Amino acid sequence: METKFYYSYNDEFNAFIGSFPAIKNPRRENEYLLPYKATFIEPPEISENEITVWEDDHWNIVSDFRGKTQINIESREVSKIDYIGSIKQGFQLVTDETAQDIQRNPDKYKIIDNQLVNISDTEEYREILQAKEVQRRISEIKAELSDLDTKRIR
């Protein structure tokens, strides 16, 4: 005898949580009991970063990046994704390493086509580093001159 399965989904997102063998209805022949938040319709296969969600009378495949890292493109604030669906407008999916690099070296990233792009191999970034080095050296010289002034050597 072939086993019939039902497919359960959760309360939070109606996301698929598993398949379970159905129990025959003791009062009606050829009928199976269907628990709350379940269907006899098998969910489709999904790929990485996807989840199946029950909507009305069918399964939908929805993006699922929960637990991954995103960064606000404008503010560069990093957060973990806690929702299902596409990445929200104004945010970008990044690795933890990239997020840390963006926060440590913000000048290394530029907004291009509404995405943060690493420009470290560009002439523009070399010019930024050179300008920073000039500013650092100017500050050093000013500090040395101030020190000499306080000692009345200059």
Side-chain angles (χ1 to χ4, degrees):
M1 182 168 120
E2 185 178 316
T3 304
K4 184 166 179 93
F5 287 90
Y6 65 86
Y7 305 91
S8 288
Y9 46 93
N10 67 15
D11 284 329
E12 187 177 7
F13 301 113
N14 283 351
F16 173 66
I17 55 174
S19 62
F20 305 93
I23 299 171
K24 275 197 155 218
N25 187 336
R27 297 176 188 219
R28 294 192 182 129
E29 195 175 317
N30 298 327
E31 195 174 287
Y32 290 85
L33 300 175
L34 184 63
Y36 176 69
K37 293 285 188 176
T39 179
F40 288 122
I41 300 171
E42 185 175 358
E45 293 291 320
I46 56 171
S47 301
E48 185 178 1
N49 297 322
E50 292 181 334
I51 191 170
T52 49
V53 175
W54 183 254
E55 291 185 14
D56 300 320
D57 61 353
H58 64 281
W59 292 105
N60 276 335
I61 297 176
V62 178
S63 299
D64 184 13
F65 298 102
R66 288 177 292 173
K68 305 245 182 197
T69 303
Q70 66 182 355
I71 192 162
N72 182 303
I73 295 168
E74 291 296 326
S75 72
R76 300 187 182 194
E77 182 181 336
V78 174
S79 60
K80 290 290 184 186
I81 298 171
D82 61 356
Y83 56 88
I84 63 170
S86 301
I87 303 298
K88 292 179 182 174
Q89 183 79 18
F91 286 83
Q92 179 176 335
L93 184 67
V94 293
T95 64
D96 290 335
E97 295 79 22
T98 301
Q100 290 171 357
D101 192 39
I102 291 169
Q103 290 185 320
R104 278 193 301 258
N105 306 296
D107 292 335
K108 216 168 118 174
Y109 293 84
K110 182 177 181 178
I111 299 172
I112 300 174
D113 295 330
N114 205 29
Q115 293 285 304
L116 286 171
V117 177
N118 184 334
I119 61 166
S120 61
D121 292 336
T122 66
E123 185 63 34
E124 178 182 0
Y125 184 63
R126 283 187 277 286
E127 289 171 5
I128 290 170
L129 291 179
Q130 187 176 15
K132 278 187 164 186
E133 180 59 26
V134 166
Q135 286 302 317
R136 186 192 65 75
R137 188 64 187 128
I138 289 171
S139 293
E140 272 182 8
I141 291 170
K142 284 181 179 179
E144 288 173 12
L145 288 174
S146 176
D147 189 41
L148 290 172
D149 283 345
T150 58
K151 294 178 183 176
R152 296 185 181 255
I153 296 175
R154 186 167 83 141

